[in-house]
Amino acid sequence: MTAEACIKLLREIKDVAFATVDKEGHPQVRIIDVMIAEGEKLYFCTERGKDFYRQLMANEYTAITGMNKEFQMVRLSGPVKKLSDQKMWIDRIFEENPMMNDVYPGESRYISEAFCIEDGWLEFFDLGKVPIYRERFTIGTMKKEEKGFLITEACIGCGTCRNVCPQQCISEGKPYKIQQEHCLHCGLCKEQCPAGAIQRKDG
């Protein structure tokens, strides 16, 4: 899997959840169409009268998630960029998504404004495999973030973590080691470790 493939998967799912924060600081979520996927960039639009538009203008960050029929999920979070040359982008979006012409016929399409996400954090999570598979990526200028759990040198080698792991993704060693690509991030190993040797990677 690659970052570009994750963006493409969101486009194939098309109707995905976009989250923002409203003026009271409360989370808001709605289904928005991914209109264009181009390399590691994702494009969408919304209309100037909508709460979604106002929330994007007030706080540029959004988080997106979608899952396909094979139980493959992609999450993307990062800042959105309002595009220049809006007419060109809206025309292209309507050309590549012709059903939009039924919603906003003729010149009414220009109430819509186009946005792009080109910097962000991506995660691919495949629940259709046994064990599960996950992978993280960054796009654009974003720095890599460490997630999940780590078994430290305080490990006493008792094997408790390995025995309780739902995906059996912990290998014996000194210290024991979590196979990160199969980890659920559930934290059961950390809760059960008698030596307190397991830590969250992000603190």
Side-chain angles (χ1 to χ4, degrees):
M1 191 51 104
T2 64
E4 183 174 348
C6 287
I7 297 291
K8 183 179 178 183
L9 182 57
L10 285 172
R11 167 62 174 164
E12 291 169 355
I13 298 169
K14 193 169 186 181
D15 300 315
V16 301
F18 278 66
T20 52
V21 176
D22 66 19
K23 61 184 178 180
E24 282 82 30
H26 300 150
Q28 301 293 331
V29 67
R30 77 285 292 158
I31 300 299
I32 298 289
D33 286 351
V34 175
M35 296 297 187
I36 299 171
E38 198 167 69
E40 294 185 356
K41 296 180 181 181
L42 179 147
Y43 297 84
F44 66 97
C45 67
T46 191
E47 291 65 50
R48 290 188 294 274
K50 293 193 174 183
D51 288 343
F52 182 38
Y53 179 86
R54 291 192 297 164
Q55 289 158 14
L56 289 174
M57 298 306 291
N59 182 338
E60 64 180 354
Y61 277 82
T62 188
I64 305 168
T65 189
M67 179 182 281
N68 65 16
K69 293 179 180 179
E70 286 72 46
F71 301 105
Q72 295 173 322
M73 182 184 73
V74 173
R75 295 195 304 159
L76 168 62
S77 60
V80 302
K81 182 175 82 171
K82 186 177 172 182
L83 296 167
S84 57
D85 199 351
Q86 281 287 321
K87 185 177 186 300
M88 182 275 287
W89 280 106
I90 293 301
D91 286 345
R92 181 177 170 190
I93 283 171
F94 274 64
E95 181 181 349
E96 297 193 25
N97 301 271
M99 51 75 182
M100 288 293 290
N101 290 287
D102 296 327
V103 183
Y104 293 100
E107 295 289 307
S108 70
R109 69 172 61 181
Y110 300 118
I111 191 63
S112 304
E113 296 204 354
F115 295 85
C116 175
I117 302 175
E118 59 185 12
D119 301 297
W121 298 273
L122 271 164
E123 182 175 49
F124 174 74
F125 189 45
D126 192 343
L127 279 166
K129 287 186 175 181
V130 179
I132 63 93
Y133 179 81
R134 76 186 320 141
E135 195 170 359
R136 292 180 60 82
F137 309 92
T138 59
I139 56 173
T141 62
M142 290 300 181
K143 294 180 180 178
K144 188 175 181 180
E145 286 186 331
E146 294 292 335
K147 296 288 185 180
F149 294 86
L150 176 70
I151 303 175
T152 69
E153 294 296 330
C155 172
I156 58 175
C158 66
T160 299
C161 58
R162 184 180 183 185
N163 293 334
V164 301
C165 176
Q167 291 293 304
Q168 293 296 291
C169 69
I170 299 178
S171 304
E172 188 174 352
K174 295 183 180 180
Y176 276 56
K177 185 177 180 180
I178 299 171
Q179 299 166 37
Q180 299 295 332
E181 69 274 21
H182 301 306
C183 179
L184 287 167
H185 296 180
C186 68
L188 184 58
C189 59
K190 182 179 188 301
E191 289 187 1
Q192 296 294 319
C193 177
I198 302 177
Q199 300 176 354
R200 291 187 66 97
K201 284 187 169 187
D202 58 1

